[in-house]
Amino acid sequence: MELLLLAVLLARVGLATQAAGLARAKNSAGVAARAACDLGVAALAFYLVGAALVSQDRNRYLGLSFAHWFAAEPIAYARALLFLLYTVLATGIVQGPVGERSRFWATLPLTVVLAAVAVPL
């Protein structure tokens, strides 16, 4: 299970380096910074809203279901991280095509919607 989690995280890193490599030299650092910020925003949005949509206990929201997964059993921790990493990977796919073509702050609401609602559903 740990190897699967590592592979998904490395896929996200690979997407970020590909997006930075496809950008012009003057914009590559900005694209890499956007990818790092996107990772944090997507993880936070999934933690606050998306985890409640994915969890089996529909009464929990705003991060409480994530803590519920940790208390349940040891494999629940890995399952929660796997869902989180798949969500972050899905939002990272968007960063490649829009690398230099959009503003930094314009892509953050899209990331929040994808991580909180679209991918968990």
Side-chain angles (χ1 to χ4, degrees):
M1 187 66 156
E2 293 84 12
L3 289 176
L4 180 63
L5 295 173
L6 182 63
V8 174
L9 184 62
L10 287 177
R12 176 66 164 107
V13 171
L15 285 172
T17 55
Q18 180 192 18
L22 291 175
R24 290 179 288 184
K26 68 176 189 166
N27 295 331
S28 62
V31 172
R34 180 187 300 191
C37 184
D38 175 68
L39 187 133
V41 168
L44 184 64
F46 179 79
Y47 175 75
L48 292 177
V49 179
L53 295 175
V54 172
S55 81
Q56 296 168 351
D57 188 3
R58 300 289 182 211
N59 295 328
R60 301 193 182 270
Y61 58 93
L62 295 179
L64 296 176
S65 63
F66 217 58
H68 176 69
W69 281 353
F70 294 153
E73 55 188 63
I75 194 69
Y77 178 72
R79 181 175 174 246
L81 282 178
L82 189 63
F83 277 119
L84 173 69
L85 288 176
Y86 279 140
T87 302
V88 169
L89 180 64
T91 59
I93 293 172
V94 177
Q95 292 300 319
V98 300
E100 301 182 282
R101 296 175 181 90
S102 67
R103 297 260 179 204
F104 180 73
W105 297 107
T107 58
L108 289 182
L110 174 66
T111 299
V112 169
V113 169
L114 279 173
V117 179
V119 175
L121 287 180

